[in-house]
Amino acid sequence: MIYDLLAPEEPIRQGDIFRSVPRIDFDLAQLPIVSDDGTLSGDWLGAVATSAEVTALVGMRPVTAIVITQDCDTVRVDDIALCEIDRFKIVEGMAKDAVSPKSTMSLITKQSKVNLKWFYLPIDTKIGFSEKMAVDFHSVLRASRTYLEKNIAQLRVGRLNPIATQHFRERLSEYYRRYPYDEWYPLDKAEFEEYRKSKPEPIDPFPWQRE
């Protein structure tokens, strides 16, 4: 499909896919902090107020992820930034109901232009994708560059091919340069009323839409 298999000596690049990347899950309000005497507490603010270094117990789980660090940085930075990859139906809720080729085609080609938070990855068993997957731009991880390089033969499963890599870079940049705005601001009063009727949630008009 849209993936290339790589030799271990190939350097890390944006679009490389790694397995077993650690995702750390914790809640600051309930973070078990280990004090100097070995006791546990959940006072994060108290701990950082008295110490620049904190030891805590956190949950970790291995996930598949894709490199988002730019190529010029992947050879020199201490940590590589990656985005988590998950099942398409988890990342994009609408995919749960897309079961026919026609419905999945429409979702992949049309919805991807509207929803910038994900990047679609098709099935390919040679890199371990037995179902449709997607990059979740909301979930950013980091991993030691030297560790990834040292264990690259075991951890890296492939890379996006040149066509997909170019698209991935554009999608990534579009996601991070999104400009949040209220799309109804240029509507006049009558247009705003029609817009408000089409939305389930309450929407406040701008002053010029009240006149």
Side-chain angles (χ1 to χ4, degrees):
M1 285 295 292
I2 66 168
Y3 314 102
D4 290 334
L5 299 180
L6 304 169
E9 47 280 7
E10 284 282 335
I12 297 173
R13 291 289 181 263
Q14 189 177 67
D16 282 8
I17 300 171
F18 285 83
R19 64 179 181 86
S20 299
V21 176
R23 169 171 173 160
I24 301 174
D25 296 311
F26 61 90
D27 180 352
L28 282 175
Q30 302 178 12
L31 185 65
I33 297 169
V34 183
S35 62
D36 292 337
D37 60 5
T39 59
L40 297 178
S41 69
D43 185 9
W44 166 252
L45 291 178
V48 296
T50 58
S51 176
E53 204 169 293
V54 177
T55 301
L57 301 179
V58 297
M60 301 176 66
R61 57 187 174 90
V63 300
T64 302
I66 188 168
V67 174
I68 61 172
T69 297
Q70 295 189 28
D71 291 352
C72 57
D73 294 324
T74 55
V75 295
R76 60 185 180 83
V77 295
D78 292 333
D79 293 315
I80 299 291
L82 309 96
C83 279
E84 185 176 355
I85 295 172
D86 206 341
R87 290 171 294 170
F88 188 32
K89 62 185 178 182
I90 299 299
V91 179
E92 172 52 73
M94 295 177 63
K96 296 177 182 178
D97 300 320
V99 292
S100 68
K102 182 178 180 179
S103 61
T104 55
M105 174 277 296
S106 178
L107 183 61
I108 293 166
T109 60
K110 296 179 181 179
Q111 186 64 24
S112 63
K113 298 174 184 178
V114 177
N115 193 337
L116 299 178
K117 77 169 188 176
W118 51 262
F119 181 85
Y120 174 71
L121 298 171
I123 295 172
D124 196 328
T125 55
K126 74 174 182 289
I127 66 165
F129 293 165
S130 58
E131 60 181 294
K132 300 178 188 301
M133 308 292 282
V135 178
D136 185 352
F137 291 138
H138 283 177
S139 181
V140 180
L141 317 169
R142 71 174 186 174
S144 163
R145 174 181 56 82
T146 55
Y147 185 85
L148 293 180
E149 290 175 339
K150 182 178 180 181
N151 298 279
I152 201 164
Q154 292 78 34
L155 297 178
R156 186 170 63 183
V157 297
R159 174 185 296 165
L160 297 178
N161 69 16
I163 294 176
T165 296
Q166 184 175 358
H167 184 207
F168 177 70
R169 287 171 177 166
E170 287 300 314
R171 290 279 291 179
L172 183 63
S173 63
E174 287 172 2
Y175 174 75
Y176 280 106
R177 67 170 175 247
R178 289 175 301 160
Y179 172 69
Y181 73 102
D182 297 323
E183 63 182 0
W184 65 88
Y185 82 89
L187 305 179
D188 61 27
K189 183 176 181 180
E191 292 167 339
F192 172 75
E193 290 302 327
E194 292 300 320
Y195 179 87
R196 179 154 56 181
K197 293 176 185 177
S198 68
K199 301 298 180 180
E201 69 278 2
I203 300 173
D204 293 328
F206 286 89
W208 52 88
Q209 293 165 339
R210 299 190 182 98
E211 301 173 353

